[in-house]
Every structure is written in structure tokens, then in C-alpha cells.
Amino acid sequence: MTTRFTADHEWLTIDGDVATVGITDYAQNQLGDVVFVELPKIGRQLKKAEAAAVVESVKAASDVYAPLSGEVVETNAALTDDPSLVNSDPAGRAWFFKMKIADRSELDGLMDEAAYKAHTE
């Protein structure tokens, strides 16, 4: 499984043709206490960099962008029941959605962990 990052602070893990998407620890720290999450509908077709979900905290509301083009195949209902998972386990149980990758060449524009770390410093 490969993990990649966007400049907008989403992470994604790649397993075959499916990407699991969430927001990074850096992003959740910037947001503060998350109080609401709106997830995309299953079956929605997303284009790379399109707003896919919304995360609201006590400080602000932010869009979560699709890191790749593809179709939403699963969403994390646990997040709507307990949005604070984004703060407590951003890179684990707090994934937002899974998408079937439409164009694997779009992976080339994403950062690895070292590049993302440099991006946030």
C-alpha cells in the first residue's frame, strides 16, 4: 500500500485501483476541534482537485478536495456519527471516502511523505 499527499493536506493510500482519502494530522491541527463532516455520495464522479467533502471545526469550515479523478465507492459513516475522529485518528479511522481511480497517471503529481513533510515546514 502506498501513501501520497496533496498540497491541500489530503492523504491517500492506494490499494489496487482504490484510493482511501483523509486529511492529514497537519490539517486537523490547523482546523482545531472538528464538529461536523459532510461526505460525498457514493457513486459521485469526482474530478481531480474538485471539492468532495466538507469538514467544519470550531474555527472554520474547509473543503476536502479529491486528490484524483474517480468514482466514490465508499464513505466512512463513523465520521458523521463522531466527527472528533478527525482529531483523534486523522490517518487511521478518520478516512473520509474511498474512490475508484479513473486515471493512475494523476498519481504522479502527488507527494511522498518526505516531500509533504518539507511542504509543511
Side-chain angles (χ1 to χ4, degrees):
M1 203 174 305
T2 303
T3 303
R4 295 285 186 238
F5 300 87
T6 70
D8 293 319
H9 310 292
E10 288 89 12
W11 59 260
L12 61 152
T13 57
I14 312 300
D15 186 10
D17 287 338
V18 175
T20 302
V21 180
I23 66 170
T24 65
D25 187 54
Y26 177 87
Q28 70 84 18
N29 273 320
Q30 296 298 308
L31 285 166
D33 293 336
V34 173
V35 295
F36 178 77
V37 173
E38 181 180 319
L39 300 172
K41 300 243 185 266
I42 294 173
R44 181 176 168 193
Q45 297 291 328
L46 296 170
K47 293 186 178 179
K48 183 178 179 179
E50 178 180 359
V54 176
V55 58
E56 288 184 28
S57 71
V58 293
K59 291 181 181 176
S62 296
D63 288 327
V64 176
Y65 299 99
L68 306 166
S69 299
E71 178 183 350
V72 176
V73 294
E74 187 176 347
T75 58
N76 187 357
L79 277 187
T80 53
D81 294 338
D82 184 7
S84 69
L85 283 174
V86 175
N87 297 114
S88 62
D89 194 10
R93 293 182 301 145
W95 58 274
F96 280 61
F97 59 92
K98 295 183 180 187
M99 62 189 306
K100 186 172 182 181
I101 301 168
D103 181 359
R104 292 187 68 84
S105 71
E106 291 177 347
L107 290 166
D108 295 341
L110 301 174
M111 294 179 268
D112 63 15
E113 189 168 357
Y116 179 72
K117 185 175 179 183
H119 172 72
T120 57
E121 291 178 344

